[in-house]
Amino acid sequence: MTAGWAVVTGAASGIGAATLRRFAAAGHPVLGVDVEDGRRVTEGLPGAAWVTGDVSAEETWQRVAERCDRVHALVSNAYTVVVRPLHETSFEQWRHQLAVNLDAAYLGVRTCLPMLGGGSVVLVSSVHAHAGIPGHPAYAASKGALLSLTGQLAVEYGPGIRVNCVLPGPISTAAWDRVPPEDRARSAESTALGRLGDPSEVAEAVHFLASGAASYITGSSLLVDGGWTVRKDSA
């Protein structure tokens, strides 16, 4: 088994679960972290471990540090979102979204840094970092900050550590369950590929950026959005 843990947050479902399985398939011991108990995700995965806890809490990361000795990749993927305009967003809701989406990346990097020699960090941002979509002020602010943080960390900790970012577009996860079918269809049609993405497709991009195949890539951002960002329906 390849030395070095792959630590993935938000690993109980969706992109995080797919990413955990992708690293396990590549032979890495994997550690999933989520506020939900997602140990079912690790069933059948050799060398897998799980920490249930709030990724924006230092105590959770202390427990992560106790489980790991060397980290091959840290994937900061956990997120939360409250869909409402800024004037209807309470300060508590604003702060909670920034804590889970952004503070957790800070805590994760700070915790894993001593174990990451020669390793890699992948922050999971979103197309919301580039495009305004009504009802997502705190989410967009936190995802945009991750984009800036990627470049900063790449400079701060290179050449020993590479730091990159992926920006998923409309990906078919449980978050879409609240979206009416007609709106889901409209989102799919707004991509150049004409469909929603699968979490495994984002996981492949994350794994690539953390692998030796991307050894000269750092400080970069990779769109995984099926062409959602570039497609415009305009005369």
Side-chain angles (χ1 to χ4, degrees):
M1 180 171 288
T2 304
W5 290 83
V7 179
V8 182
T9 70
S13 61
I15 292 171
T19 299
L20 200 75
R21 289 190 288 265
R22 181 63 184 87
F23 276 99
H28 291 280
V30 292
L31 174 61
V33 188
D34 202 298
V35 71
E36 297 182 14
D37 185 348
R39 283 175 291 183
R40 69 190 183 285
V41 177
T42 64
E43 291 178 3
L45 301 182
W50 191 268
V51 169
T52 301
D54 179 358
V55 291
S56 66
E58 288 186 280
E59 185 273 338
T60 298
W61 288 101
Q62 290 168 359
R63 290 164 57 204
V64 169
E66 292 168 0
R67 298 300 301 267
C68 299
D69 47 3
R70 181 185 172 200
V71 175
H72 166 74
L74 167 64
V75 182
S76 186
N77 165 73
Y79 81 96
T80 189
V81 61
V82 175
V83 181
R84 59 187 56 181
L86 186 141
H87 70 279
E88 295 180 3
T89 301
S90 70
F91 186 59
E92 181 181 3
Q93 291 169 335
W94 173 273
R95 281 301 315 152
H96 180 61
Q97 289 176 83
L98 265 63
V100 174
N101 301 348
L102 179 59
D103 293 355
Y106 153 75
L107 290 170
V109 172
R110 190 185 69 171
T111 299
C112 295
L113 200 58
M115 302 176 278
L116 263 170
S120 179
V121 174
V122 181
L123 305 181
V124 180
S125 179
S126 167
V127 292
H128 286 258
H130 289 314
I133 301 173
H136 295 76
Y139 185 76
S142 61
K143 293 300 186 177
L146 288 175
L147 202 57
S148 298
L149 185 60
T150 295
Q152 177 64 33
L153 294 179
V155 171
E156 196 89 37
Y157 299 110
I161 296 170
R162 294 185 302 105
V163 184
N164 292 291
C165 184
V166 295
L167 291 82
I171 305 298
S172 183
T173 66
W176 284 82
D177 291 347
R178 61 176 172 77
V179 180
E182 59 272 18
D183 290 338
R184 266 180 279 174
R186 189 164 65 249
S187 292
E189 290 166 3
S190 69
T191 70
L193 295 182
R195 63 176 177 85
L196 299 182
D198 188 82
S200 64
E201 294 176 299
V202 182
E204 288 291 347
V206 171
H207 180 262
F208 163 71
L209 287 174
S211 74
S215 59
Y216 201 57
I217 301 175
T218 193
S220 73
S221 57
L222 176 60
L223 285 164
V224 188
D225 68 349
W228 181 91
T229 305
V230 296
R231 176 165 179 172
K232 299 291 180 291
D233 293 319
S234 176

